[in-house]
């Protein structure tokens, strides 16, 4: 039985790639050193996979920034605004496309970035024009194949499949659908596949996650035609089409009928699809079973996986069954062995989890057990596995009866503010007296090296708790003064005490655990260390109050309290799989509700509850969405509805596709939403043409992922465009997202421009009363 892996994390167990990229961007190292780091990491990751004993090992799953971006370069879909950089080395061009570029007379904005399906990984959105041409630059996939084969590895290049690639992109002009570009794209894929075969690839994996989504009949037909065309003639490697994150559902027949050598299905998210797919598998097709969870960290249940694998073997025979993780392991951390000495997670919990390295072993173990038939259940590895799962089920670390009781007692009144928005708005205006087009930021200010050092000095005991507090308070004070000087209306404290918006809360909640090395890539060099929610969640005490209250004590202007919302905490954590996610979300919502109430008691009049992950929780299948929106909205409202009408609730969302869910966002009934919009040039506003958003809204006017400083005019123009769809009384002025990754000089310049833009707008749209 062939085992394989769909992709391995690439940032490095110690985030070496992050360090290298950031040093390269700040000119501390050159391209050669960057490339060497990449090479070293690939080698380490391949060695780990070889050591685990996998039958096929992925290559071209590495990237300096993002695999979708890399593919755009491979197939020559480089937006024309980057043509002046076309002679730059590949990583340089990729970075310019990902981050924008403002130097030596070049001034180009970055490509749009959005979440990879329902994960917290972000990819760059390919841009297509009507007369889009493609041309092959196979350097990267070929070089990585060569490298892997040079190590004697059974390397399987990984590419996003042609349909998914086009579907992930966006049309940059009207009058065509990107799927029409397929006929021009396919020859390039053919050429690439031929080259990979020539380079020694026996198998190539084509990721087609869209096959697990709802497809229109046109797209389904395009799938059939495209793969038929790929398969026709020419000597190609064996193709494995990978689906994941959901079941193939209505596309089962389509997926199983593609003229390829293997189909991969996700049996973690959709175990029931095995029975639907099996009867459809033709003789020449192998079936790859994703039985090890690539999206979560819980130890595999061997007896459950064995049931699935043995069922497939029964139907297809051993030679046509492959065993694999459910999806790329990009979405889980490296190695939980590193947690044993870290002393952060309870030892008991460490026994319940598997990271990427352990998951490779699980894949190989499951395959080796599956061939033993019924005898497998007596294997000591299966017995030990069952015992571990049993210990977890009964662990006192998991169950808190008082929390379960409180969740049961949630009444409908707890899910609503006391009065409708219009009433609240009047009360808030009275309390806050803000100008028109109020300016604010999203919460964080630059997390400079010094700020991060403060935290690490606290952790290592070099700084006492009091010294740490004093230092952070100094930063807060500086930031409050800065915001007053630059002329912002609703201030923030800057979030200096936070490592990460979810981690910070996770660390303070009962039922949540923390890892030392559990890093997962979010985008580019950015990584997060998701909390592990292993048990019932409860707030121990105030989590943010003293910092916010301190900031408020320094100024007359309102300081906005900053909390992370329940859906986002859930979405960005590794969540227990022994109860519905909605139950865990309700527990989180109660904890945030209590925190909001305490902020209010402390005199805070504006509270922002961030829900940037609201969109990524949306189930991929249309049929499952209504249920999600119902409980997710309940949880957000549960967390926000405990405050007085006069307290202004903000929320914030970013880097997702919002247009199709704008009515659901409105249902959250936040008084103000600040929402990322500038990277897509306010495309977001299209949604407001059909749906008039009922509350206040601040579409972001500064793309904070780019080192570019937007001019006052640029932001003014974006705001004027916003005014075409948003009444002038309800428009806020703010950046796209938090500023933690920016430097101070850019922050100063951009915020000053932003405040000027708001003032200019006030002058134009609310002329001062004549004297
Ligand atoms: N308040 C957070 C910040 O400013 C929000 C971050 C986010 O949306 N991802 O950093
Ligand atoms: Zn954001």
């Amino acid at each position: 039985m062939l085992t394989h892996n769909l992709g391995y994390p690439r940032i490095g167990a110690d985030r070496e790639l992050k360090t290298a990229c950031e040093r390269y961007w700040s000119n501390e190292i050159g391209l050669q050193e960057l490339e060497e780091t990449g090479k070293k990491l690939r080698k380490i990751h391949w060695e780990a996979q070889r050591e685990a004993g996998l039958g096929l090992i992925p290559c071209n799953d590495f990237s300096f920034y993002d695999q979708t971006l890399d593919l755009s370069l491979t197939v020559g879909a480089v937006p024309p605004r980057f043509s002046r950089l076309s002679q730059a080395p590949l990583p340089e061009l990729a970075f310019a496309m990902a981050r924008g570029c403002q130097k030596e007379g070049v001034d180009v904005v970055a490509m749009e970035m959005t979440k990879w399906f329902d994960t917290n990984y972000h990819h760059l959105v390919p841009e297509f024009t009507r007369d889009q041409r493609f041309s092959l630059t196979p350097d990267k996939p070929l070089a990585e194949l060569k490298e892997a084969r040079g190590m004697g590895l059974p390397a399987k290049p990984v590419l996003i499949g042609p349909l998914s690639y086009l579907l992930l992109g966006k049309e940059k002009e009207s009058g065509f659908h990107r799927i029409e570009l397929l006929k021009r794209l396919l020859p390039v894929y053919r050429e690439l596949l031929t080259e990979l075969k020539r380079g020694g690839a026996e198998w190539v994996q084509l990721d087609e996650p869209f096959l697990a989504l709802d497809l229109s009949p046109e797209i389904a037909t395009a799938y059939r035609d495209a793969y038929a065309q790929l398969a026709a003639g020419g000597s190609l490697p064996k193709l494995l089409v990978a689906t994941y994150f959901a079941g193939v559902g209505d596309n089962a027949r389509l997926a199983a009928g593609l003229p390829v050598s293997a189909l991969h299905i996700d049996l973690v998210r959709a175990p029931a699809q095995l029975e639907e797919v099996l009867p459809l598998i033709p003789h020449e097709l192998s079936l790859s079973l994703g039985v090890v969870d690539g999206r979560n960290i819980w130890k595999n249940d061997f007896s459950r996986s064995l049931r699935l694998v043995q069922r497939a073997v029964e139907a297809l025979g051993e030679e046509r069954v492959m065993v694999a993780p459910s999806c790329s392991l990009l979405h889980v951390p490296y190695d939980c062995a590193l947690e044993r000495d870290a002393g952060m997670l309870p030892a008991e919990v460490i026994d319940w989890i598997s990271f990427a390295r352990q998951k490779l072993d699980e894949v190989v173990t499951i395959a080796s057990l599956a061939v033993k038939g019924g005898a497998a259940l007596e294997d000591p590895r299966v017995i030990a596995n069952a015992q571990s799962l049993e210990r977890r089920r009964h662990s006192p670390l998991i169950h808190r009866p008082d929390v379960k009781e409180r969740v049961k007692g949630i009444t409908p009144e707890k899910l609503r503010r006391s009065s409708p928005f219009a009433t609240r708005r009047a009360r808030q205006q009275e309390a806050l007296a803000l100008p028109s087009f109020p300016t604010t930021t999203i919460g964080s200010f630059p997390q400079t090296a010094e700020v991060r050092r403060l935290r690490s000095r606290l952790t290592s005991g070099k700084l006492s708790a009091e010294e740490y507090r004093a230092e952070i308070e100094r930063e807060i004070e500086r930031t409050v003064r800065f915001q007053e000087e630059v002329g912002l209306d609703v201030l923030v404290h800057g979030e200096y005490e936070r490592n990460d918006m979810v981690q910070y809360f996770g660390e303070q909640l009962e039922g949540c655990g923390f890892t030392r090395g559990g890093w997962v890539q979010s985008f580019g060099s950015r990584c997060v260390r998701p909390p592990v929610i292993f048990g019932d969640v409860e707030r121990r005490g105030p989590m943010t109050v003293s910092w916010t209250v301190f900031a408020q004590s320094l100024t007359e202007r309102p300081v906005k309290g900053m909390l992370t919302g329940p859906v986002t905490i859930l979405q960005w954590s590794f969540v227990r799989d022994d109860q519905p996610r909605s139950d865990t979300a309700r527990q989180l919502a109660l904890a945030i509700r209590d925190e909001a109430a305490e902020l209010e008691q402390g005199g805070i009049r504006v509270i922002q509850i961030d829900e940037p992950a609201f969109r990524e929780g949306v189930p991929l299948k249309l049929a499952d969405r209504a249920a999600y929106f119902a409980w997710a909205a309940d949880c957000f409202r549960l967390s926000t509805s405990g405050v007085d009408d006069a307290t202004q609730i903000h929320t914030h969302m970013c880097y997702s596709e919002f247009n199709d869910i704008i009515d659901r966002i409105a249902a959250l009934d936040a008084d103000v939403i600040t929402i990322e919009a500038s990277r897509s040039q306010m495309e977001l506003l299209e949604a407001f043409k059909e749906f008039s958003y009922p509350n206040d809204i601040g579409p972001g006017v500064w793309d904070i992922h780019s080192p570019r400083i937007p001019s006052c005019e640029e932001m003014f123009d974006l705001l004027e465009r916003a005014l075409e769809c948003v009444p002038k009384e309800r428009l806020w002025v703010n950046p796209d997202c938090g500023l933690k990754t920016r430097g101070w000089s850019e922050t100063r310049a951009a915020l000053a421009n932003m405040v000027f833009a708001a003032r200019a707008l006030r002058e134009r749209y609310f002329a001062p009363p004549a004297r």
Side-chain angles (χ1 to χ4, degrees):
M1 203 176 308
L2 193 57
T3 56
H4 71 113
N5 181 21
L6 276 69
Y8 205 63
R10 57 206 176 205
I11 202 80
D14 250 339
R15 288 177 297 156
E16 294 89 337
L17 189 62
K18 173 195 178 66
T19 315
C21 285
E22 289 174 358
R23 293 185 64 201
Y24 176 73
W25 297 335
S26 61
N27 292 320
E28 286 165 66
I29 62 170
L31 188 57
Q32 198 186 341
E33 199 173 335
L34 177 69
E35 301 262 26
E36 262 156 33
T37 306
K39 201 166 177 174
K40 223 182 295 169
L41 287 171
R42 288 193 291 273
K43 180 150 188 279
I44 295 170
H45 302 155
W46 283 329
E47 287 294 2
Q49 296 177 82
R50 161 152 58 197
E51 188 189 277
L54 288 172
L56 293 173
I57 295 177
C59 65
N60 198 42
D61 54 341
F62 178 83
S63 176
F64 282 115
Y65 205 97
D66 166 52
Q67 69 273 15
T68 313
L69 171 67
D70 291 343
L71 188 56
S72 289
L73 285 159
T74 303
V75 301
V78 177
R81 66 182 178 282
F82 299 100
S83 58
R84 278 188 57 193
L85 298 163
S86 63
Q87 296 314 310
L90 273 183
E92 183 68 41
L93 178 54
F95 290 148
M97 288 160 72
R99 308 175 69 235
C101 177
Q102 198 171 39
K103 67 175 182 199
E104 288 153 25
V106 182
D107 185 358
V108 277
V109 293
M111 291 173 78
E112 197 182 323
M113 183 165 68
T114 200
K115 274 161 195 162
W116 178 251
F117 300 90
D118 57 358
T119 75
N120 180 30
Y121 177 78
H122 303 60
H123 73 97
L124 277 294
V125 179
E127 297 178 12
F128 301 123
T129 53
R130 203 171 322 129
D131 59 357
Q132 183 71 48
R133 302 284 146 179
F134 300 98
S135 66
L136 185 63
T137 306
D139 306 32
K140 177 183 178 289
L142 283 181
E144 285 182 28
L145 174 63
K146 191 168 168 207
E147 228 173 88
R149 290 190 34 91
M151 287 169 62
L153 296 171
K156 171 191 60 172
V158 177
L159 300 167
I160 297 168
L163 276 293
S164 290
Y165 173 67
L166 288 177
L167 292 172
L168 284 167
K170 254 188 187 173
E171 295 86 359
K172 283 288 144 181
E173 41 190 21
S174 56
F176 79 110
H177 189 284
R178 55 201 185 283
I179 214 69
E180 293 159 28
L181 303 174
L182 200 54
K183 51 186 181 305
R184 288 188 217 141
L185 179 62
L186 281 177
V188 176
Y189 265 78
R190 271 281 283 279
E191 214 181 315
L192 175 57
L193 292 170
T194 314
E195 295 256 3
L196 289 170
K197 166 126 189 173
R198 210 174 292 146
E202 184 194 354
W203 284 92
V204 170
Q205 171 184 324
L206 293 175
D207 284 4
E208 291 285 10
F210 278 92
L211 280 172
L213 270 56
D214 302 289
L215 295 182
S216 67
E218 293 76 35
I219 304 284
T221 306
Y223 258 107
R224 244 173 248 121
D225 295 350
Y227 277 85
Q229 215 175 313
L230 269 187
S235 139
L236 295 187
K238 291 191 227 169
L239 300 181
L240 177 144
V241 165
T243 68
Y244 39 77
F245 301 154
V248 287
D250 293 343
N251 308 320
R253 199 169 291 277
L254 166 66
L258 296 177
V260 293
S261 298
L263 172 69
H264 173 85
I265 55 175
D266 182 341
L267 294 181
V268 174
R269 281 280 173 89
Q273 68 172 325
L274 181 61
E275 289 306 329
E276 288 156 28
V277 170
L278 276 179
L280 303 174
I281 300 291
H283 286 304
E284 51 303 338
L285 191 68
S286 293
L287 189 62
S288 163
L289 311 176
V291 289
V292 170
D293 196 349
R295 293 288 301 276
N296 211 335
I297 57 167
W298 306 104
K299 184 183 266 183
N300 192 263
D301 180 344
F302 282 170
S303 66
R304 181 185 163 283
S305 299
L306 284 170
R307 260 197 310 278
L308 294 166
V309 178
Q310 289 179 335
R311 172 71 188 100
V313 168
E314 205 180 281
L316 307 174
E318 245 171 76
E319 307 72 45
R320 286 168 59 210
V321 172
M322 300 161 84
V323 179
S326 59
C327 60
S328 165
L329 297 176
L330 179 68
H331 312 290
V332 291
Y334 276 88
D335 189 351
C336 65
L338 304 172
E339 300 303 324
R340 292 213 179 98
D341 310 316
M344 289 176 72
L345 274 181
E348 211 181 322
V349 176
I350 298 177
D351 182 56
W352 305 342
I353 64 178
S354 285
F355 288 177
R357 181 63 191 83
Q358 286 71 37
K359 286 173 187 289
L360 300 174
D361 291 337
E362 289 180 347
V363 166
V364 174
T365 307
I366 291 164
S368 73
L369 288 166
V371 297
K372 296 172 91 178
L377 293 180
E378 265 98 76
D379 189 285
R381 290 171 292 180
V382 178
I383 294 169
N385 175 267
Q387 285 168 345
S388 165
L389 298 179
E390 187 63 13
R391 282 196 299 273
R392 176 179 162 204
R393 253 189 297 277
H394 298 293
S395 168
L397 282 179
I398 291 184
H399 304 287
R400 273 166 213 284
D402 48 323
V403 176
K404 294 192 210 289
E405 274 310 303
R406 203 172 160 209
V407 168
K408 270 197 218 133
I410 298 170
T411 55
E413 296 75 68
K414 290 214 169 79
L415 308 177
R416 278 198 299 270
R417 301 284 296 271
S418 318
S419 308
F421 175 67
T423 314
R424 300 195 311 261
R425 187 164 201 277
R427 297 266 328 266
Q428 291 161 19
Q429 249 162 359
E430 201 181 314
L432 300 170
L434 296 171
S436 52
F437 305 116
T439 54
T440 190
T441 61
I442 310 304
S444 58
F445 269 79
Q447 284 255 340
T448 55
E450 292 102 87
V451 171
R452 285 196 301 271
R453 201 152 42 226
L454 291 177
R455 248 195 323 275
S456 72
R457 282 168 60 206
L458 173 72
T459 320
S460 67
K462 290 202 188 91
L463 218 57
S464 72
E466 296 74 52
E467 287 165 329
Y468 175 74
R469 172 162 292 273
E471 292 288 341
I472 296 282
E473 287 186 350
R474 240 193 300 280
E475 297 292 336
I476 293 176
E477 176 150 19
R478 255 198 289 261
T479 305
V480 167
R481 296 291 165 249
F482 163 73
Q483 294 173 89
E484 286 177 335
E485 275 153 33
V486 84
L488 288 158
D489 302 307
V490 173
L491 313 192
V492 296
H493 76 288
E495 301 184 21
Y496 298 107
E497 76 289 5
R498 304 185 190 178
N499 29 26
D500 168 87
M501 64 184 292
V502 167
Q503 182 179 346
Y504 180 76
F505 291 90
E507 279 174 347
Q508 302 187 67
L509 291 169
E510 254 356 303
C512 279
F514 240 78
T515 63
R516 163 115 347 134
W519 293 104
V520 181
Q521 189 176 12
S522 169
F523 62 86
S525 68
R526 198 93 154 236
C527 301
V528 292
R529 218 171 359 162
V532 177
I533 305 182
F534 56 79
D536 291 334
V537 174
E538 194 168 25
R539 193 181 80 125
R540 289 188 203 114
M543 303 183 278
T544 64
V545 179
S546 65
W547 302 116
T548 317
V549 168
F550 171 75
Q552 185 64 83
S553 75
L554 302 171
T555 179
E556 293 294 310
R557 299 187 197 188
V559 172
K560 183 160 67 162
M562 282 294 150
L563 303 176
T564 302
V567 179
T568 296
I569 298 183
L570 185 83
Q571 206 57 41
W572 290 353
S573 298
F574 290 119
V575 182
R576 56 193 289 193
D577 57 355
D578 60 344
Q579 68 178 22
R581 289 168 68 80
S582 54
D583 287 359
T584 307
R586 284 194 185 88
Q587 298 179 354
L588 287 162
L590 287 170
I592 298 302
R593 181 184 175 95
D594 293 349
E595 184 72 10
E598 212 160 320
L599 281 169
E600 186 183 55
Q601 276 156 30
I604 302 303
R605 293 166 290 164
V606 184
I607 300 171
Q608 177 170 313
I609 302 197
D610 288 324
E611 285 290 17
F614 187 76
R615 180 66 173 89
E616 74 189 47
V618 177
L620 295 170
K621 290 275 209 284
L622 294 173
D624 305 329
R625 290 190 180 175
Y628 166 79
F629 284 121
W631 68 253
D634 277 359
C635 287
F636 179 82
R637 296 174 63 142
L638 179 60
S639 69
T640 51
S641 298
V643 299
D644 191 77
D645 282 345
T647 300
Q648 190 171 64
I649 294 288
H650 289 216
T651 189
H652 164 71
M653 295 184 188
C654 50
Y655 307 106
S656 295
E657 188 55 48
F658 298 117
N659 294 31
D660 58 340
I661 62 161
I662 204 74
D663 52 334
R664 309 298 189 147
I665 295 175
L668 302 180
D669 199 26
D671 298 308
V672 182
I673 184 168
T674 55
I675 189 163
E676 167 259 341
S678 76
R679 218 174 218 212
S680 58
Q681 299 294 302
M682 297 267 161
E683 235 170 65
L684 166 78
L685 298 170
E686 290 300 312
F688 300 129
K689 294 202 173 127
E690 277 129 57
F691 176 83
S692 82
Y693 187 80
N695 302 5
D696 284 14
I697 181 157
V701 290
W702 168 22
D703 170 15
I704 57 84
H705 282 130
S706 166
R708 258 188 100 248
I709 297 164
S711 67
C712 179
E713 293 71 32
E714 221 173 307
M715 291 191 270
F716 185 88
D717 288 348
L718 288 176
L719 288 161
E720 284 212 305
R721 283 176 66 180
L723 282 173
E724 289 165 20
C725 325
V726 179
K728 61 183 181 177
E729 293 75 20
R730 292 207 257 111
L731 186 67
W732 284 63
V733 177
N734 46 265
D736 270 339
C737 191
L739 307 175
K740 65 192 265 188
T741 55
R742 295 276 51 92
W744 265 108
S745 67
E746 306 140 65
T747 298
R748 261 185 220 110
L751 287 181
N753 290 352
M754 189 185 90
V755 169
F756 272 121
R759 287 191 186 141
L761 218 57
R762 279 170 208 156
E763 251 159 60
R764 176 160 314 172
Y765 290 89
F766 292 91
R771 289 200 193 176

